[in-house]
């Protein structure tokens, strides 16, 4: 770990105690760090504790032991330095695109004009211009996902936490969203931690991929992705890309099998 790390996760363990049932060990001794401006993904089988870790980093859930810090400050609750985009749709159906994007700023009691201005910027950045007045039900899945990313960016967090943001999208929309996320990352200069179970998505987007074992999730390996940027979808057909995906797949193949068996 270098001293310039923006996010540090230090020896985090998490066990869920369940009334009348066996407890579930979700995470074991997770230590990782992410530098300012880095794009890091965590890949792992379903049930390997990825969402649990993200919720701990966001401050929504306390670790059983270990700690998380952002810029040297220990995380104990959600804060404006972190913004999360959840797996499931979390837009407010009775608010327009512009109101949804501005929502965090409205909650923070920013003046209306400021909130509107910021919202407009991120609506444009996420390709939603022209849809400001639409309601969530009037949008496609890909567009709703963009609104969620825009809403997260609007509060100007240090770190964007993305939990399988494209899981509900069809394959083609998903690939388009991946390239858009890269340009949003470039433009906004945010630090991003993305969780996915899709290895090719992680390799395509990231500077570094952290590979999780099956439950209890632990870090199997960190793989540096030294593919040139800017990246476009053609990259996925190059031998370098394919061999990185293959390498990570081999790392987690047994873990996925274990996961399927235990599911
Ligand atoms: P992933 O996101 O990698 O699919 P999760 O973090 O959602 O995995 O879950 C990891 C494990 O912890 C799973 O076995 C899940 O059932 C369990 N788990 C998650 N949240 C809770 C909870 N609130 N209570 C009990 N068990 C939980
Ligand atoms: Mg999950």
């Amino acid at each position: 770990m270098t001293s310039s790390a923006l996010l540090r996760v230090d020896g985090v363990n998490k066990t869920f105690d369940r009334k009348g049932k066996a407890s579930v060990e979700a995470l074991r001794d997770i230590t990782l760090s992410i530098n300012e401006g880095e794009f890091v993904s965590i890949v792992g089988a379903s049930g390997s504790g990825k969402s649990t870790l993200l919720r701990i980093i966001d401050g929504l859930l306390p670790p059983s032991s270990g700690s998380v810090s952002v810029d040297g400050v220990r995380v104990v609750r959600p804060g404006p330095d972190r913004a999360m985009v959840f797996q499931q749709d979390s837009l407010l159906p009775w608010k327009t695109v512009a109101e949804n994007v501005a929502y965090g700023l409205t909650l923070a009691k920013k003046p209306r004009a400021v909130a509107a201005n910021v919202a407009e910027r991120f609506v444009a950045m996420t390709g939603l211009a022209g849809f400001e007045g639409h309601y969530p039900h009037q949008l496609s899945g890909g567009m709703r996902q963009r609104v969620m990313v825009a809403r997260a960016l609007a509060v100007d967090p240090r770190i964007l936490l993305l939990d399988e943001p494209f899981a509900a999208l069809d394959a083609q929309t998903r690939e388009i969203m991946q390239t858009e996320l890269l340009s949003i990352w470039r433009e906004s200069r945010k630090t991003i931690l993305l969780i996915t179970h899709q290895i090719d998505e992680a390799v395509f987007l990231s500077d570094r991929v952290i590979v999780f074992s099956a439950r209890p999730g632990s870090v199997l390996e960190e793989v540096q992705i030294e593919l040139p940027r800017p990246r476009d979808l053609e990259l996925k057909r190059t031998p370098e890309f394919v061999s990185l995906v293959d390498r990570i797949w081999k790392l987690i193949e047994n873990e996925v099998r274990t996961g399927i068996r235990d599911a």
Side-chain angles (χ1 to χ4, degrees):
M1 282 204 274
T2 63
S3 56
S4 65
L6 176 62
L7 171 73
R8 281 175 189 280
V9 174
D10 204 5
V12 162
N13 292 286
K14 181 70 186 178
T15 298
F16 291 104
D17 294 314
R18 299 179 304 169
K19 269 208 186 88
K21 288 194 219 157
S23 57
V24 177
E25 187 185 8
L27 295 170
R28 186 180 291 178
D29 198 23
I30 305 293
T31 294
L32 53 93
S33 69
I34 299 178
N35 296 327
E36 179 112 58
E38 224 184 347
F39 196 133
V40 175
S41 295
I42 296 176
V43 293
S46 165
S48 60
K50 304 181 299 296
S51 295
T52 301
L53 178 64
L54 217 60
R55 286 166 65 213
I56 291 172
I57 292 171
D58 198 38
L60 293 167
L61 196 68
S64 301
S65 62
S67 66
V68 173
S69 63
V70 175
D71 227 0
V73 180
R74 188 164 179 157
V75 166
V76 288
R77 63 179 73 86
D81 52 352
R82 287 149 288 143
M84 176 110 129
V85 175
F86 293 92
Q87 214 162 332
Q88 68 278 19
D89 197 321
S90 60
L91 294 176
L92 301 171
W94 61 90
K95 288 193 181 287
T96 63
V97 165
E99 288 165 348
N100 267 288
V101 173
Y103 189 62
L105 299 166
T106 314
L107 282 184
K109 306 237 182 327
K110 296 275 184 238
R112 253 173 118 101
V114 173
N117 218 309
V118 173
E120 192 183 312
R121 180 168 155 233
F122 290 105
V123 159
M125 193 189 280
T126 51
L128 291 162
F131 293 89
E132 294 85 346
H134 283 58
Y135 288 89
H137 77 270
Q138 297 172 305
L139 305 174
S140 66
M143 295 188 81
R144 283 199 295 272
Q145 211 57 47
R146 278 178 225 183
V147 180
M148 288 191 265
V149 170
R151 180 179 62 184
L153 286 168
V155 297
D156 198 24
R158 303 285 303 277
I159 306 177
L160 203 54
L161 304 168
L162 306 173
D163 190 356
E164 308 228 16
F166 310 140
L169 306 178
D170 63 80
Q172 288 76 27
T173 307
R174 185 170 185 138
E175 296 220 303
I176 302 300
M177 290 296 293
Q178 290 167 359
T179 61
E180 292 192 359
L181 182 58
L182 282 182
S183 63
I184 290 167
W185 174 60
R186 245 191 348 262
E187 210 177 316
S188 66
R189 302 176 162 276
K190 291 295 174 199
T191 304
I192 296 186
L193 175 58
L194 173 118
I195 274 170
T196 180
H197 60 258
Q198 223 167 294
I199 300 168
D200 85 302
E201 179 167 283
V203 171
F204 180 64
L205 296 171
S206 311
D207 295 317
R208 190 153 50 95
V209 175
I210 299 174
V211 184
F212 262 31
S213 70
R215 193 179 69 221
S218 63
V219 176
L220 275 183
E221 194 161 322
E222 297 199 13
V223 181
Q224 205 69 38
I225 308 297
E226 274 151 5
L227 298 167
R229 295 189 187 269
R231 298 175 186 169
D232 59 32
L233 291 168
E234 302 254 307
L235 179 70
K236 294 191 179 184
R237 291 195 287 271
T238 64
E240 294 78 13
F241 184 90
V242 173
S243 92
L244 277 164
V245 171
D246 204 46
R247 187 174 143 207
I248 296 173
W249 170 242
K250 290 204 170 90
L251 279 171
I252 60 170
E253 189 177 5
N254 286 330
E255 308 294 325
V256 173
R257 288 189 204 286
T258 310
I260 291 169
R261 205 183 52 223
D262 293 352

